[in-house]
Amino acid sequence: MRHTIAQVLPHRDPALVFKDLNEVSMLQEFWEGKQQQRAAFPSEGLVVYESLPSPGPPFVSYVALPGGSCFGNFQCCLSRAEARQDAAKVALINSLLNELPSRRITKEFIMESVQEAVASTSGTLDDADDPSTSVGAYHYMLESNMGKTMLGFQELMTIFQLLHWNGSLKALRETKCSRQEVISYYSQYSLDEKMHSHMALDWIMKEQETPGILSQELRMALRELEEARKAGQELRFYKEKKEILSLALTQIYSNPDTSSPSDDQLSLTALCGYH
């Protein structure tokens, strides 16, 4: 930790940096230093905070880092300022750990990860060389991101988690797209409002087929988000799920006549949601 701080913040005394620490300012300073070095996410914005509206405690705060990784306060906080500091603390610890050599994707890391994936899927090591298998696709993704840090790799992983959750990966397999084609295609994209809108439209269509599924999924997403936040985990996947489902519900209630999606909507889903 001290070695990392000395590299990223050379004007700070590593021995004293954690004494009377202001996590919010330290986190901001850390990422400003990273951007000045152009070592990570040079085109992204800086640290962004979000406080959930609440009439009283406990308060919840989230912090999004450059590149998209998200963390929240895991303690019960009696003020918004305390929640913000606590979220910044979790994000700062993860940002510092991310600088360690063990947090980079190396050949050794890939070998260990693939072996773990094989053990968890009851597959074989031969699957790692076959992109048509889930282990092979995972191996291909890791190889394509050699040298990246875990936080740098996280955004791509979150996209594929959402595509799997949303049913898009299954739809793409049915169109005979190879896993390599899907990975190469979506590796060029980031999670933005456009992708949110496409996934929200998919869920509106699911709601028309199975009334009540949106509310059920949203309740589950909120529960998963809270559990992950209290455990101090990275939250991007759970938070994106919540925002996509909330957007879908908002669109349904703002336009009650959604019983039959227009041809334009269906075409948009087919073209943009499933390319």
Side-chain angles (χ1 to χ4, degrees):
M1 285 286 199
R2 290 184 179 184
H3 177 69
T4 299
I5 293 170
Q7 284 186 315
V8 181
L9 302 171
H11 61 286
R12 291 268 195 163
D13 183 346
L16 302 176
V17 75
F18 289 106
K19 185 178 180 181
D20 300 323
L21 177 65
N22 183 313
E23 291 89 350
V24 172
S25 62
M26 182 69 179
L27 183 65
Q28 185 74 18
E29 189 178 349
F30 175 90
W31 281 100
E32 285 177 354
K34 291 289 294 177
Q35 288 204 328
Q36 287 170 4
Q37 295 175 10
R38 301 185 65 83
F41 314 111
S43 62
E44 298 287 346
L46 288 178
V47 178
V48 178
Y49 291 88
E50 175 192 352
S51 295
L52 291 189
S54 174
F59 293 98
V60 174
S61 181
Y62 298 109
V63 54
L65 301 179
S69 294
C70 180
F71 299 93
N73 60 298
F74 69 94
Q75 298 189 79
C76 180
C77 299
L78 302 181
S79 70
R80 289 184 176 84
E82 184 185 353
R84 185 174 167 131
Q85 288 282 352
D86 196 52
K89 181 191 299 181
V90 179
L92 178 60
I93 291 171
N94 279 275
S95 297
L96 290 170
L97 289 174
N98 193 55
E99 296 300 303
L100 299 176
S102 60
R103 300 295 290 173
R104 287 197 175 271
I105 298 176
T106 61
K107 289 184 178 180
E108 292 76 15
F109 175 84
I110 291 174
M111 187 179 299
E112 291 176 7
S113 299
V114 168
Q115 288 173 347
E116 289 176 4
V118 167
S120 66
T121 58
S122 301
T124 67
L125 281 176
D126 291 337
D127 293 338
D129 296 321
D130 182 359
S132 66
T133 66
S134 57
V135 173
Y138 181 54
H139 185 205
Y140 176 76
M141 287 179 68
L142 289 171
E143 289 278 1
S144 302
N145 289 271
M146 181 82 75
K148 283 190 176 182
T149 65
M150 290 296 101
L151 290 184
F153 183 58
Q154 185 66 44
E155 182 168 13
L156 180 62
M157 283 298 295
T158 301
I159 290 175
F160 282 94
Q161 283 179 292
L162 288 170
L163 290 171
H164 175 71
W165 162 73
N166 201 47
S168 299
L169 288 183
K170 181 180 179 181
L172 285 167
R173 283 198 296 272
E174 292 171 355
T175 63
K176 307 302 182 185
C177 288
S178 71
R179 292 178 189 265
Q180 280 180 304
E181 288 175 327
V182 174
I183 292 170
S184 298
Y185 180 81
Y186 279 104
S187 295
Q188 306 170 43
Y189 289 84
S190 60
L191 283 168
D192 54 16
E193 291 183 9
K194 196 173 184 179
M195 189 171 285
H196 277 183
S197 297
H198 297 157
M199 289 191 175
L201 182 56
D202 287 339
W203 279 100
I204 289 173
M205 297 172 68
K206 292 178 192 290
E207 176 70 15
Q208 291 157 7
E209 296 169 0
T210 311
I213 192 172
L214 259 179
S215 298
Q216 178 182 333
E217 283 287 330
L218 182 57
R219 284 194 298 271
M220 186 184 304
L222 289 170
R223 184 172 65 251
E224 290 173 344
L225 177 59
E226 183 178 13
E227 290 173 354
R229 177 181 62 80
K230 290 180 177 178
Q233 297 175 9
E234 203 279 328
L235 306 174
R236 182 88 185 270
F237 172 57
Y238 308 107
K239 200 163 181 297
E240 294 287 352
K241 282 172 64 174
K242 184 203 79 168
E243 292 176 1
I244 290 165
L245 294 167
S246 298
L247 177 60
L249 280 172
T250 299
Q251 291 180 353
I252 286 176
Y253 285 118
S254 63
N255 181 19
D257 186 21
T258 55
S259 57
S260 178
S262 68
D263 291 340
D264 288 343
Q265 285 179 317
L266 291 173
S267 299
L268 181 65
T269 302
L271 177 64
C272 301
Y274 304 138
H275 91 106

